[in-house]
Amino acid sequence: MRTGDFDAAWLPPAAFRAVGRRRTLLRAGDGPLVDTVHGEVADACGRFGGRVVRDGGEDAELVLEVTGGPAGAGLGDEGFALARRGGTTTVTASGGRGLLYGLFHVVRLGEDAFRGERPREEHRPALAVRMLDHWDNVAVHPVMGQVERGYAGGSLFWADGRARGDLGRVRAYGRLLAACGVNAVAVNNVNVHETEAHLLTDRIGEVAAIADALRPYGIRTHLSVTFAAPMVLGSLPTADPLDAAVRAWWRGATARVYEAIGDFGGYVVKADSEGRPGPFAYGRSHADGANALAAALEPYGGTVHWRTFVYDHHQDWRDRSTDRARAAYDHFTPLDGEFAPNAVLQVKHGPMDFQVREPVSPLIGAMPRTRLAVEVQATQEYTGQQRHVCWLGPMWSEVLRFRPEGGSGPRVGELARGGLVAVSNAGDDPFWTGHPLAQANLYTFGRLAWDPRADPGAVLDEWIRLTFTPERSADPGRLTDGLHAVLDGSWATYEKYTAPLGVGFMVQPGHHYGPSVDGYEYSPWGTYHFADRDGVGVDRSTATGTGHAGQYAGPWAEVYGSPKTCPDELLLFFHHVPYGHVLHSGRTVIQHIYDTRFEGVAEVEEARRVWAGLADLVDPARHARVAERYEEQLRSAQEWRDQVNSYFLRKSGVPDARGRTIH
């Protein structure tokens, strides 16, 4: 497979031009990852006229070196150092992983890597685990299809009820992920159905084949498993995590997994959540459940990622004292310190469910004796389903920079000792993510997982330079400016025409696409806005509401606890207020709702116009796909505007101060 076979994303062949033109020396290293580095450079040199030598003594413009001793000290397994002196650019790493990441860093720099002098600079990932969770089903699910919440075609891994025979595209996927810093992938849905359960045992060979395809790019394979596996697969009468036979079953099954996949990463578990089996059935805690699997994985260096998405999904909508937002904190904080060292709690970044606007989960920072991984959603379940442009880099950066303790306390990116995880947005679509511009989310996730303090705008620049390299020569400034114009503010635009001021949801039930203001209002899912004739919003204050605001550390509990201090963008998440309540912006709540719906539609119209003007600079197939998606985004945005505005006009009876048509 040549690198150009799957180049409808970042890393098209032209991205390697600067490397491929040089004389390169690959020195003092061996192993499969070093072989991958050599293959990448050799392929580039074959295209652009350069030359690569292994362990030679000749002069070189680029030296890629695996070394121990002082040169590699402190870099760790994945770090690398870059320097340029006397016309030679040198990448130094202590192992193959670091050398691979160093090569991709040089590719990102392009010709800049070979200009002037560059003092030694060291690069190492801030987070050891940078992981994608695929919600892919082996067998097509009758409701959720091949990929649950998938908006980019079928699965990369599975087709016709089995692992794909040709895994070339999986290898190419591993290459894309390594280039942005991702180092782990869970290959199946956290909602483990009957067929998928067998991947743990009699079908582990299929997982091993996928792991073989990903391994050359340093990607460790993980597997989602059902907590009830000892019953489903082992014919035991119980899955009680404290039962000796159950623990022995997990030990045996795990040993066989590692016989097939020596570098297996571990398990991902969704338990006692939305109907999935878990330890509650046996009167056990989540720590009991997680630790049983952790004990089986521990001898091999594996990890169990135990999701904290646990709440009552049979809630009585009449009961305002039950609050889904409280649930993860209430379930897990009493267990702090009880989880095994190789058990990681995987916490959604917000307390609800990947909405376009939520506060950071109070669970992050509240369990100092437990390893937490922060989970975000690259697949755009609630942010336009890859039919709308919605670049999430600014959202994720805002989350990762948030200080749960306030003041100068640690940031979320520093508290995520178990890593950063995203639900993948990739599939077998020719453009990988369905919407070509949604690739920016996948790339940005990897780069922010490597460095949570990175500037998302600079990361977006990287993605643009890599992805559009063959096309930029005609007018690079106009293309770059146009891409920034349609992407930079796209998250804010999407928020403007959908659910206002942090209240969330208001989507069509089930598939979650398009507006339905009361779609979940009288449902058991706990996703309410409580709009009535007098006001809107959920009272989560400690004084009169559910008390969720009080789950935050002192400074934030105070900020969120009063409508006078609560940020506008989260007001309706934390408070039920009258339509005439005046925001910090100076607008009333009702006028903000009207204005932002109209603003959002206007911004989509402008983005569509800008994209149309780039047709002469972008590959025709890519341009046509995005243009088609913009037509759908505009239609949907107009529908959101009209339904939300009409709903609140009828509820409140307050007309639009600007006299615009509201139906």
Side-chain angles (χ1 to χ4, degrees), residues 160-181:
D160 302 320
R162 59 182 61 87
R164 289 181 178 272
D166 180 4
L167 294 176
R169 190 172 175 89
V170 173
R171 180 184 168 95
Y173 183 52
R175 179 174 181 262
L176 290 175
L177 298 185
C180 64

Side-chain angles (χ1 to χ4, degrees), residues 4-12 169 176 429-433 436 439 467 622:
D5 292 343
F6 301 103
D7 61 1
W10 60 96
L11 297 190
R169 190 172 175 89
L176 290 175
D429 181 88
F431 293 102
W432 295 95
T433 56
Q439 293 174 12
T467 305
R622 193 192 314 251

